Amino acid sequence: MTAPVRPTAVKMYPRDKWVFVPSGAYDPLLPSLAILNAATALDVTKMFFASSARPSQATNLARSPKRLGDAETYEFVGETNPTISEVRYSFDPQGAALSTGKKAYEKFPAGTTGWLVNRLGIDRDTDLATAQFVTSYPCEAGQQQEVPEGDAEGAEVAIAQTFAQTGPKALNKAIVA
């Protein structure tokens, strides 16, 4: 038998890039570099606060009904509930329309649908490129609410907004031209 393989660790910090792509021609199974870089897309990597929820899921463990002769019952995998939940992003309430401080606010009015696309393992400031891998989450934005982010003199104005995951994610797909 061969020795066990130990994969090299892939650092997360600061190698976590997020881009929002509105609903339309985007195909999460063949993520297009042209669409990810289009003017309609928005890189929210440095707009979302670290306190923002990240996509996650909860999977139920179910048991079949016990029968008269059973001394034991066993688990099986049940329903999985994916979620994105509440994100928080920078907001300048006094900023001009289309300004940096209002880009996310203007991009996500309630009811907005699209894809949150995540690339891991490459510096966040490196541009997206073909053959890199991303995971795409279909989403819908809820209501926006102005909130403080942080405490005391370090607090900033933010928007808190729930994002629903509206379908299955497309996990680890290579970007195409």
Side-chain angles (χ1 to χ4, degrees):
M1 176 188 258
T2 60
V5 177
R6 185 178 195 280
T8 303
V10 177
K11 292 185 178 184
M12 181 91 165
Y13 179 82
R15 295 165 182 88
D16 188 11
K17 186 176 195 73
W18 286 90
V19 176
F20 175 77
V21 179
S23 292
Y26 181 73
D27 180 352
L29 300 177
L30 295 167
S32 162
L33 182 62
I35 293 173
L36 288 166
N37 285 333
T40 55
L42 180 63
D43 186 332
V44 294
T45 304
K46 294 182 179 179
M47 295 176 183
F48 281 19
F49 286 102
S51 64
S52 292
R54 300 174 64 74
S56 65
Q57 64 187 26
T59 301
N60 295 333
L61 293 176
R63 291 186 180 272
S64 57
K66 187 175 177 188
R67 299 177 188 195
L68 289 177
D70 287 345
E72 303 171 325
T73 58
Y74 299 98
E75 297 176 324
F76 56 91
V77 175
E79 182 178 284
T80 296
N81 299 299
T83 185
I84 297 172
S85 200
E86 185 180 271
V87 299
R88 292 171 169 251
Y89 51 87
S90 181
F91 176 58
D92 180 356
Q94 303 306 316
L98 305 176
S99 67
T100 302
K102 283 198 172 165
K103 282 188 182 204
Y105 167 76
E106 292 168 341
K107 183 62 83 175
F108 301 130
T112 297
T113 60
W115 299 86
L116 281 171
V117 181
N118 184 218
R119 182 197 65 196
L120 297 169
I122 298 173
D123 186 278
R124 67 184 182 268
D125 293 330
T126 301
D127 291 336
L128 296 167
T130 58
Q132 294 175 353
F133 291 88
V134 296
T135 298
S136 302
Y137 301 89
C139 63
E140 179 181 359
Q143 295 292 323
Q144 297 167 319
Q145 178 64 47
E146 293 171 309
V147 296
E149 179 66 23
D151 294 316
E153 64 270 16
E156 296 182 32
V157 178
I159 294 289
Q161 186 171 21
T162 298
F163 276 66
Q165 185 173 330
T166 58
K169 66 183 172 282
L171 183 67
N172 201 237
K173 302 299 180 192
I175 297 174
V176 298

